[in-house]
C-alpha cells in the first residue's frame, strides 16, 4: 500500500535549480557576440533553422510539469513503503516522490534524518521543476541549510540544453559548483558538439560564474581550448574575453581578431578588439556604448599604428548621440572622421561604405513647444571623394506647430538663419542668410474629393562677406508663391475571378504660380534641382534649398487607379500617370545651366501589382515624349512559388548614368539543406559589382554555412574575393571568418 507523509522541512534546495540553469545560460550569453548574421538586399536574408523539426522526438520531448501550489510551505512525500522514526532516520522505499511547491524529487529510496535535517536519495534520483530535470545516481541534501550534493548528475532544460557532471554541489544559498561538467544542445547520448569544463563555479549573489579547462569539441574533435573563462548568470552582462576569429585575405594577410567585453556599469559598456593583420599590423577597435533615461549613444574608435602597407597611422572616429532634457529640449550628434581618405576603401565591409563621398559632422539642438519648434544646427563634412561643401556654423530655425484642420483656414510660419563658411574662401562666397516664409491654406475635403489653395510669401536676406564676392554684400528677395492642389475620388464595385473588388479612379490637378525674380547675384549655398519623381511633381518650387526660388506657371495632371480587395482591404493593383504642363518659360537656373524651353515635362508612370502573397511587382518609368525615349526606369519582382523558395530580380536605369541588374534567390531545399545567391551587375560598364553564392546545412543542434563572394571596390583597385565558412553550434556560438 502506498504511503504519503507531509513535512514542512522535506524540501529540495531552491538554489539547486537556479545554479544548474545558469550553466546553460552562461554558454549562450558569452558566445553570442560571435554569431554571424548575413542579409542581402534582394532575397531578404538567409536565416537558419532552429532545428526543432530536425531533432529526435525522444531526446527532445517536453519535460513533465510539476502540479502543485507554489505557495504551499509543506513537503509531501509518497512512497510504496515507509519506516518512519521521530528520533532516528526515516526510510522511504519504492517510487519515492518528495514534492514541495513546484519542485519534485523522486528516487527508489530516500533516508531522512529528522535530527540532522538531512536526506540521502539513491537509485534513479530525479529532481524536477517546470523547466529543469536533473537525474543522478545518488544525492545528499541538507534541508535546513539548503546545501547538498548530486553525484553522476545529468541535467536537461525545457529548451533542450543538457549535460552531465561527475559531482554537483550546492555550497550555500548562492554558490553552486560542478566537477567535470558538460553542455550541449544535441542528443546527450551521442552529441555532435560538446563543451566540457574541469570545474565550474556559479555565484547567484553577484550573478557571475567561472569555468576552468574549457574544451569545445565537434564530432569528437577538440578545436577550442580556454584555460579559464568568466560568464554572466542569467541576463546580466559580465566583463571578459569573447570568442576569437581567424581568417586570411589578400589585403590584410592572416587575421586574428580577439574581442574583450568590458561591463563598465549597468548602463555603460565597451568592446575592445585587437585585430592583428600580418600584412598591416595590429588595429585596436573600441566600441563604447552608454544608455540612460535621457541619453544614449555610441563612440567607435579604430586605430592602427604605422600600417605596414600604407606607411602611416590609420584612424577612424564615429560618435552618435541622442539626448533629451526636461522642458522640451533634445539634441543629436553625428560625428565622423578618418585620418586618410583610403580608410573606408581598405577597411569598409560593403559597397555603401566604399562608395561614401562625404562624412558628416553634425550637432543639433531642438526645443519643442506646443505651437512652435526651435532648432539650432552646426554641420560640416569631411570630403572623401568630391568637392568641398559649405559648413553651417550655425543654423537657427523657428517653425510653427499650429493644429491643421480640414475645411478651415490653416496658418504656418517657417524662419531660418544660417551662417555659411567654406574652406576655399575667399575664392568662394561666404556670409549669412535669413529666410522667412509665412503661409495660409484652406484644405477643403469631402468623401468625393479635395481642394487645397495655399498662399506663401518667401522673404530672403543675404549679408555676404565683401572679400568673397564682387557684387553688393546685402541682397534681399521677396517672392509670393501660390498653389492649388485638387482631386476627385470615383469608385465602383467589381468582381474578378470570384473576388469582390473595389475599383477606384482618382484624377488630380496641381497648379502652381511663382513670379520671376532675378537671382543671378545670389550665391548658391545649398540649392539644387529636385529629383524628378512623381511626388516632386506636386511641389511648387523645382529647387531644394532657398538660394533659388524657381519661377513657374504650371499645371500637374495625374491619374491613379487602384483595385482593392473588399474583404481584406489589400491593394492588389495600382497604376498612375503624371505630367507637368508649363504655361511660361522657366528663367531661373543654377550657375552653368541653361533654361528649359519645353512646355511639357517627361511623363512619369508607376505600376504596382500584388495579386496574391506569392507575387509582388513594383515599377516606375520616366518617358520623354520629345525625345521618344525612356530616361529613367526601375522594376522589382518577387516570386515565391513555394514557402521554401523565394526569387527576386531588379532592374535600374538612368540614361547616360546608370544601368544595373540584380537577381537573387533563397531556397530551402529540405529541412536540412538551404541554398542562396545574389548577383548585382553593372550593365553600363559591363562589370560585376557584387555576387554571393552560399550553401547551408542544418542538423538538430548545429549548422554549417559556406559562402563565396566577390565585390567591386573601385576602378583602380582589384576586386575582393571572399570565402566564408561558419560553423554554428546552436545554443552556443558561431565560429568562422
Amino acid at each position: 500500500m502506498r504511503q504519503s507523509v507531509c513535512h514542512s522541512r522535506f524540501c529540495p534546495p531552491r538554489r539547486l535549480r537556479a545554479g544548474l540553469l545558469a550553466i546553460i545560460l552562461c554558454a549562450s550569453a558569452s558566445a553570442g557576440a560571435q554569431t554571424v548574421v548575413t542579409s542581402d538586399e534582394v532575397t531578404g536574408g538567409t536565416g537558419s533553422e532552429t532545428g526543432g523539426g530536425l531533432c529526435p522526438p525522444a531526446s527532445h520531448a517536453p519535460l513533465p510539469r510539476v502540479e502543485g501550489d507554489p505557495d504551499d510551505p509543506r513537503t509531501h512525500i509518497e512512497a510504496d513503503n515507509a519506516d518512519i522514526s521521530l528520533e532516528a532516520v526515516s526510510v522511504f522505499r519504492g517510487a519515492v516522490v518528495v514534492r514541495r511547491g513546484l519542485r519534485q524529487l523522486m528516487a527508489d529510496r530516500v533516508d531522512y534524518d529528522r535530527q540532522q535535517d538531512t536526506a540521502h536519495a539513491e537509485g534513479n534520483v530525479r529532481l524536477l521543476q517546470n523547466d529543469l530535470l536533473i537525474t543522478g545516481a545518488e544525492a545528499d541534501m541538507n534541508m535546513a541549510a539548503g546545501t547538498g550534493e548530486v553525484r553522476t548528475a545529468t541535467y536537461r532544460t525545457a529548451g533542450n540544453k543538457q549535460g552531465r557532471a561527475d559531482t554537483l554541489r550546492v555550497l550555500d544559498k548562492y554558490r553552486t559548483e560542478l566537477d567535470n561538467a558538460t553542455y550541449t544542445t544535441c542528443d546527450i547520448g551521442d552529441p555532435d558538439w560538446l563543451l566540457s569544463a574541469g570545474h565550474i563555479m556559479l555565484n547567484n549573489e553577484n550573478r557571475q560564474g567561472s569555468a576552468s579547462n574549457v574544451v569545445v569539441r565537434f564530432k569528437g574533435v577538440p578545436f577550442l581550448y580556454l584555460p579559464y573563462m568568466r560568464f554572466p548568470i542569467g541576463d546580466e552582462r559580465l566583463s571578459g574575453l569573447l570568442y576569437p576569429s581567424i581568417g586570411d585575405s589578400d589585403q590584410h594577410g592572416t587575421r586574428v581578431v580577439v574581442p574583450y567585453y568590458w561591463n563598465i556599469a549597468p548602463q555603460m559598456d565597451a568592446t575592445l578588439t585587437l585585430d592583428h593583420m600580418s600584412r598591416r599590423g595590429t588595429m585596436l577597435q573600441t566600441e563604447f556604448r552608454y544608455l540612460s533615461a535621457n541619453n544614449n549613444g555610441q563612440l567607435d574608435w579604430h586605430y592602427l599604428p604605422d600600417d605596414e602597407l600604407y606607411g602611416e597611422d590609420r584612424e577612424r572616429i564615429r560618435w552618435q548621440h541622442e539626448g533629451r532634457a526636461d522642458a522640451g529640449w533634445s539634441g543629436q550628434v553625428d560625428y565622423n572622421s578618418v585620418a586618410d581618405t583610403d580608410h573606408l576603401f581598405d577597411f569598409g565591409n560593403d559597397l555603401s561604405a566604399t562608395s561614401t563621398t562625404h562624412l558628416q559632422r553634425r550637432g543639433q539642438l531642438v526645443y519643442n513647444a506646443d505651437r512652435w519648434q526651435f532648432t539650432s544646427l552646426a554641420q560640416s563634412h569631411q570630403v572623401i571623394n568630391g568637392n568641398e561643401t559649405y559648413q553651417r556654423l550655425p543654423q537657427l530655425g523657428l517653425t510653427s506647430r499650429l493644429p491643421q484642420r480640414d475645411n478651415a483656414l490653416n496658418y504656418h510660419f517657417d524662419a531660418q538663419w544660417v551662417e555659411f563658411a567654406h574652406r576655399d574662401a575667399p575664392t568662394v562666397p561666404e556670409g549669412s542668410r535669413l529666410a522667412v516664409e509665412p503661409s495660409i491654406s484652406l484644405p477643403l475635403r469631402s468623401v468625393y474629393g479635395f481642394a487645397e489653395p495655399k498662399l506663401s510669401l518667401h522673404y530672403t536676406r543675404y549679408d555676404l562677406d565683401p572679400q568673397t564676392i564682387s557684387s553688393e554684400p546685402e541682397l534681399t528677395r521677396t517672392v509670393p508663391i501660390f498653389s492649388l492642389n485638387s482631386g476627385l475620388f470615383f469608385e465602383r464595385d467589381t468582381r474578378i475571378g470570384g473576388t469582390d473588388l473595389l475599383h477606384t479612379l482618382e484624377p488630380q490637378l496641381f497648379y502652381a504660380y511663382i513670379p520671376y525674380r532675378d537671382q543671378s547675384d545670389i550665391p548658391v549655398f545649398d540649392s539644387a534641382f529636385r529629383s524628378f519623381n512623381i511626388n516632386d511633381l506636386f511641389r511648387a518650387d523645382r529647387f531644394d534649398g532657398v538660394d533659388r526660388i524657381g519661377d513657374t506657371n504650371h499645371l500637374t495632371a495625374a491619374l491613379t487607379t487602384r483595385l482593392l480587395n473588399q474583404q481584406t482591404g489589400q491593394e492588389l493593383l495600382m497604376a498612375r500617370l503624371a505630367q507637368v504642363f508649363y504655361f511660361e518659360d522657366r528663367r531661373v537656373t543654377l550657375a552653368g545651366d541653361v533654361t528649359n524651353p519645353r512646355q511639357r515635362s517627361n511623363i512619369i508612370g508607376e505600376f504596382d501589382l500584388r495579386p496574391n502573397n506569392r507575387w509582388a511587382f513594383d515599377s516606375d518609368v520616366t518617358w520623354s515624349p520629345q525625345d521618344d525615349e525612356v530616361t529613367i526606369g526601375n522594376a522589382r519582382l518577387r516570386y515565391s512559388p513555394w514557402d521554401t523558395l523565394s526569387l527576386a530580380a531588379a532592374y535600374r536605369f538612368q540614361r547616360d548614368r546608370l544601368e544595373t541588374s540584380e537577381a537573387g534567390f533563397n531556397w530551402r531545399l529540405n529541412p536540412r539543406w538551404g541554398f542562396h545567391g545574389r548577383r548585382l551587375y553593372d550593365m553600363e560598364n559591363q562589370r560585376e559589382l557584387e555576387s554571393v553564392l552560399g550553401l547551408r546545412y542544418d542538423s538538430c543542434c548545429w549548422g554549417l554555412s559556406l559562402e563565396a563572394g566577390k565585390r567591386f571596390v573601385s576602378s583602380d583597385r582589384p576586386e575582393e574575393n571572399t570565402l566564408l565558412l561558419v560553423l554554428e553550434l546552436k545554443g552556443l556560438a558561431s565560429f568562422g571568418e
Side-chain angles (χ1 to χ4, degrees):
M1 179 177 179
R2 192 165 178 83
Q3 302 182 30
S4 178
V5 177
C6 178
H7 194 286
S8 62
R9 294 189 294 173
F10 276 51
C11 158
R14 292 179 178 270
R15 291 294 169 181
L16 182 62
R17 176 254 185 189
L20 282 177
L21 184 57
I23 301 172
I24 295 114
L25 296 177
C26 78
S28 178
S30 62
Q34 293 299 308
T35 300
V36 176
V37 179
T38 60
S39 63
D40 55 69
E41 185 176 319
V42 172
T43 62
T46 57
S48 64
E49 295 291 322
T50 61
L54 302 173
C55 299
S59 63
H60 286 69
L63 295 180
R65 300 187 63 84
V66 179
E67 301 297 336
D69 183 0
D71 299 323
D72 188 355
R74 300 172 299 171
T75 297
H76 302 269
I77 303 177
E78 296 180 3
D80 292 338
N81 297 286
D83 296 328
I84 300 175
S85 173
L86 299 180
E87 302 297 333
V89 177
S90 298
V91 180
F92 300 89
R93 300 182 183 88
V96 184
V97 178
V98 182
R99 183 185 300 109
R100 177 164 182 166
L102 298 179
R103 295 186 306 274
Q104 182 172 283
L105 175 66
M106 295 170 286
D108 294 338
R109 172 172 174 161
V110 174
D111 298 343
Y112 175 69
D113 187 335
R114 181 182 180 86
Q115 298 298 324
Q116 301 296 324
D117 201 10
T118 60
H120 174 80
E122 59 184 31
N124 297 316
V125 176
R126 292 164 57 89
L127 177 64
L128 177 65
Q129 299 191 76
N130 287 335
D131 54 2
L132 179 66
L133 171 64
I134 303 169
T135 62
E138 58 179 336
D140 287 293
M141 311 299 299
N142 187 314
M143 314 305 291
T147 61
E149 181 177 290
V150 180
R151 289 171 289 280
T152 317
T154 300
Y155 63 87
R156 183 163 72 92
T157 73
N160 297 317
K161 298 175 176 66
Q162 48 199 318
R164 294 191 172 108
D166 287 353
T167 305
L168 182 151
R169 288 183 295 274
V170 181
L171 303 180
D172 53 38
K173 62 185 298 185
Y174 295 115
R175 296 179 302 150
T176 304
E177 66 176 357
L178 300 94
D179 294 332
N180 295 325
T182 64
Y183 163 75
T184 186
T185 57
C186 304
D187 183 359
I188 191 63
D190 184 22
D192 289 332
W193 69 265
L194 188 71
L195 181 148
S196 60
H199 180 267
I200 294 177
M201 174 66 74
L202 307 171
N203 190 326
N204 282 293
E205 184 176 20
N206 59 15
R207 306 295 290 167
Q208 296 183 10
S210 62
S212 59
N213 295 325
V214 178
V215 178
V216 179
R217 292 178 172 84
F218 180 69
K219 293 294 184 179
V221 179
F223 70 93
L224 178 65
Y225 170 77
L226 295 173
Y228 178 79
M229 65 180 295
R230 297 172 67 231
F231 47 83
I233 296 175
D235 297 330
E236 286 79 3
R237 302 167 302 167
L238 180 66
S239 301
L241 287 172
L242 304 176
Y243 287 111
S245 58
I246 302 173
D248 188 80
S249 69
D250 293 336
Q251 270 204 60
H252 308 301
T254 302
R255 194 168 185 176
V256 180
V257 181
V258 181
Y260 177 84
Y261 178 76
W262 181 16
N263 183 30
I264 304 172
Q267 295 178 323
M268 188 182 302
D269 65 8
T271 302
L272 310 176
T273 303
L274 291 178
D275 185 355
H276 177 73
M277 297 162 280
S278 62
R279 298 191 63 189
R280 294 184 179 274
T282 301
M283 175 184 287
L284 173 63
Q285 302 177 10
T286 303
E287 177 190 279
F288 171 70
R289 302 184 303 174
Y290 55 92
L291 173 67
S292 66
N294 296 324
N295 296 275
N296 68 87
Q298 179 172 319
L299 175 63
D300 298 329
W301 178 53
H302 297 180
Y303 180 69
L304 173 61
D306 191 21
D307 186 336
E308 297 176 14
L309 285 181
Y310 197 77
E312 297 180 6
D313 294 350
R314 315 296 296 276
E315 183 180 24
R316 180 181 182 182
I317 299 174
R318 183 179 185 183
W319 179 34
Q320 291 184 309
H321 171 83
E322 292 184 0
R324 60 182 179 86
D326 295 335
W329 288 97
S330 62
Q332 292 181 336
V333 176
D334 187 1
Y335 178 83
N336 299 270
S337 174
V338 291
D340 59 87
T341 56
D342 291 326
H343 188 100
L344 297 180
F345 288 97
D346 290 339
F347 302 106
N349 295 323
D350 51 36
L351 285 176
S352 62
T354 58
S355 61
T356 300
T357 60
H358 294 76
L359 291 178
Q360 181 173 233
R361 299 169 177 178
R362 180 176 181 270
Q364 179 175 274
L365 187 64
V366 179
Y367 177 78
N368 286 296
D370 291 338
R371 294 181 176 270
W372 54 276
Q373 180 187 71
F374 168 77
T375 61
S376 59
L377 171 71
Q379 183 183 46
S380 66
H381 293 85
Q382 180 182 4
V383 179
I384 303 300
N385 183 22
N387 299 322
E388 287 283 353
T389 60
Y390 274 99
Q391 307 170 63
R392 300 169 185 262
L393 303 173
Q395 173 180 300
L396 306 178
L398 184 66
T399 303
S400 66
R401 302 178 64 187
L402 301 173
Q404 303 296 299
R405 300 168 298 173
D406 292 340
N407 304 311
L409 288 175
N410 292 319
Y411 305 92
H412 184 74
F413 177 83
D414 196 5
Q416 184 188 91
W417 179 85
V418 192
E419 181 71 31
F420 290 100
H422 202 284
R423 294 183 178 90
D424 294 337
T427 59
V428 296
E430 287 186 323
S432 64
R433 181 188 70 196
L434 173 66
V436 180
E437 184 174 350
S439 64
I440 182 173
S441 62
L442 178 61
L444 304 173
R445 303 185 185 277
S446 67
V447 294
Y448 54 83
F450 68 94
E452 181 176 356
K454 181 179 179 180
L455 179 63
S456 305
L457 184 65
H458 186 95
Y459 170 80
T460 317
R461 175 185 173 90
Y462 292 83
D463 292 292
L464 306 176
D465 185 348
Q467 299 180 356
T468 63
I469 60 171
S470 58
S471 59
E472 291 293 326
E474 296 182 2
L475 302 171
T476 61
R477 177 191 58 194
T478 303
V479 184
I481 301 173
F482 173 77
S483 65
L484 173 62
N485 192 14
S486 62
L488 295 174
F489 303 118
F490 300 97
E491 60 183 42
R492 68 185 181 95
D493 296 331
T494 187
R495 188 177 179 87
I496 299 178
T499 303
D500 292 328
L501 303 175
L502 182 67
H503 182 205
T504 71
L505 194 64
E506 307 165 27
Q508 183 177 358
L509 294 176
F510 176 83
Y511 174 76
Y513 176 76
I514 303 176
Y516 170 75
R517 296 291 187 270
D518 184 6
Q519 303 167 47
S520 57
D521 291 338
I522 296 178
V524 178
F525 292 133
D526 61 1
S527 282
F529 280 108
R530 294 186 187 274
S531 59
F532 189 76
N533 59 60
I534 203 161
N535 293 320
D536 284 335
L537 299 187
F538 299 93
R539 300 176 185 267
D541 191 5
R542 61 182 178 274
F543 293 100
D544 271 324
V546 299
D547 297 317
R548 292 293 182 269
I549 304 296
D551 61 312
T552 191
N553 184 8
H554 75 260
L555 178 69
T556 299
L559 182 63
T560 304
T561 184
R562 309 175 198 268
L563 284 177
L564 307 173
N565 188 311
Q566 294 201 28
Q567 299 296 324
T568 65
Q570 179 183 0
E571 184 179 271
L572 306 180
L573 179 146
M574 189 280 292
R576 178 160 56 172
L577 288 174
Q579 188 178 22
V580 183
F581 300 89
Y582 299 100
F583 305 122
E584 297 178 5
D585 292 339
R586 284 84 64 211
R587 301 168 59 186
V588 178
T589 64
L590 293 171
D593 290 332
V594 296
T595 58
N596 187 348
R598 293 182 176 179
Q599 301 303 306
R600 293 181 298 165
S601 74
N602 293 341
I603 298 175
I604 297 182
E606 289 185 336
F607 181 76
D608 299 342
L609 179 65
R610 287 174 174 79
N612 51 50
N613 293 330
R614 300 199 177 277
W615 285 95
F617 178 74
D618 306 299
S619 64
D620 61 85
V621 62
T622 302
W623 181 65
S624 172
Q626 292 83 1
D627 300 326
D628 193 20
E629 63 182 14
V630 173
T631 59
I632 298 176
N634 298 287
R636 295 159 296 277
L637 174 66
R638 286 182 180 272
Y639 174 54
S640 299
W642 315 297
D643 294 338
T644 57
L645 175 61
S646 176
L647 306 173
Y651 175 79
R652 303 173 184 88
F653 171 78
Q654 296 181 23
R655 183 163 297 279
D656 301 327
R657 291 185 57 191
L658 171 73
E659 187 175 11
T660 64
S661 63
E662 187 174 9
F665 69 93
N666 190 353
W667 190 5
R668 175 59 65 173
L669 302 173
N670 55 47
R672 294 188 179 273
W673 289 95
F675 194 36
H676 68 274
R678 172 178 172 264
R679 182 175 186 263
L680 176 62
Y681 186 76
D682 183 353
M683 303 172 67
E684 181 75 17
N685 298 295
Q686 296 185 349
R687 63 191 176 200
E688 195 170 61
L689 296 178
E690 194 171 36
S691 63
V692 171
L693 190 63
L695 182 67
R696 179 177 176 89
Y697 173 80
D698 277 290
S699 75
C700 170
C701 58
W702 62 275
L704 185 67
S705 297
L706 178 64
E707 186 175 271
K710 183 165 56 176
R711 177 167 64 99
F712 170 79
V713 179
S714 64
S715 57
D716 59 344
R717 292 171 178 262
E719 62 185 14
E720 292 183 357
N721 296 287
T722 61
L723 184 65
L724 180 68
L725 180 65
V726 177
L727 172 63
E728 178 186 350
L729 307 182
K730 298 178 181 179
L732 182 63
S734 295
F735 300 88
E737 183 67 23

